């Protein structure tokens, strides 16, 4: 399908979202891949992963870039050749990317009950304001918290960061669509602006370093 949604966060930051309804072949026919990407695509065993990979290239085209404009560093972090910041995510039948003049991270996750079973692996201080008895809201908030921490990890891109021990997300309501978070690792304390919204049954989260 065409581009699902764009979000103009500011004059220099834009989010692009794609809903993956096309077949693998349709997506493959719609993009031009460099040899590195062709090799990566060929090595993927899951068609869902392949379609997510190709849909990201479609989003690049929507943003005015080509596959040749996207590079990855030794840690797997994506970069654009014009030095703008980019972050990429895909989950099931949605993919998204954010392009900005400032460091940024993006994540999209499906709201699923299974996140309850792993919650204690990535939350600590957040237990003070979460209410497990309100299960639908609890699942959505857990998903946003996970997405926020994933975004922060993408921005900092440092080994050894613990979602549970090093990143805390401040209290928020689902209607607010934003909150704050903090990364606290040895010799570093950094605050982040967290933005979130619902995309069908998914939580879209993106983050920036707080100025």
């Amino acid at each position: 399908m065409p581009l699902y949604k764009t979000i103009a966060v500011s004059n220099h930051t834009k989010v692009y979202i794609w809903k993956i309804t096309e077949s693998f072949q349709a997506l493959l026919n719609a993009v031009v891949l460099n040899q590195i990407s062709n090799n990566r695509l060929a090595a993927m065993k899951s068609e869902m992963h392949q379609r997510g990979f190709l849909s990201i290239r479609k989003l690049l085209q929507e943003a005015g870039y080509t596959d040749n404009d996207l590079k990855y560093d030794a840690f797997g972090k994506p970069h654009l050749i014009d030095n703008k910041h980019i972050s990429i995510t895909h989950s099931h039948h949605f993919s998204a990317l954010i392009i900005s003049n400032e460091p940024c991270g993006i994540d999209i996750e499906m709201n699923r009950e299974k996140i309850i079973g792993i919650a204690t692996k990535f939350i600590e201080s957040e237990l003070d304001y979460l209410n497990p008895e309100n299960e639908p809201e609890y699942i959505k908030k857990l998903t946003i918290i996970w997405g926020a921490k994933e975004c922060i990890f993408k921005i900092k891109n440092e080994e050894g960061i613990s979602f549970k021990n090093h990143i805390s997300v401040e209290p928020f309501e689902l209607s607010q669509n934003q909150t704050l978070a903090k990364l606290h690792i040895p010799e570093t304390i950094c605050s982040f602006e967290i933005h979130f919204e619902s995309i069908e049954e998914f939580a879209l989260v993106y983050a920036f370093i707080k100025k």
Side-chain angles (χ1 to χ4, degrees), residues 70-90:
L70 183 67
K71 308 295 180 184
Y72 291 85
D73 62 23
F75 299 99
K77 185 174 183 176
H79 299 269
L80 290 169
I81 60 172
D82 63 3
N83 293 320
K84 285 197 173 184
H85 297 271
I86 183 171
S87 184
I88 291 168
T89 184
H90 56 83

Side-chain angles (χ1 to χ4, degrees), residues 140-170:
K140 289 180 179 180
K141 285 191 172 183
L142 283 176
T143 307
I144 290 166
I145 291 167
W146 172 269
K149 296 188 179 191
E150 183 71 28
C151 289
I152 291 169
F153 183 80
K154 289 180 176 181
I155 293 171
K156 299 305 290 184
N157 202 40
E158 296 179 18
E159 291 185 1
I161 293 177
S162 165
F163 282 19
K164 179 175 182 175
N165 300 321
H166 299 148
I167 307 174
S168 58
V169 178
E170 293 189 6

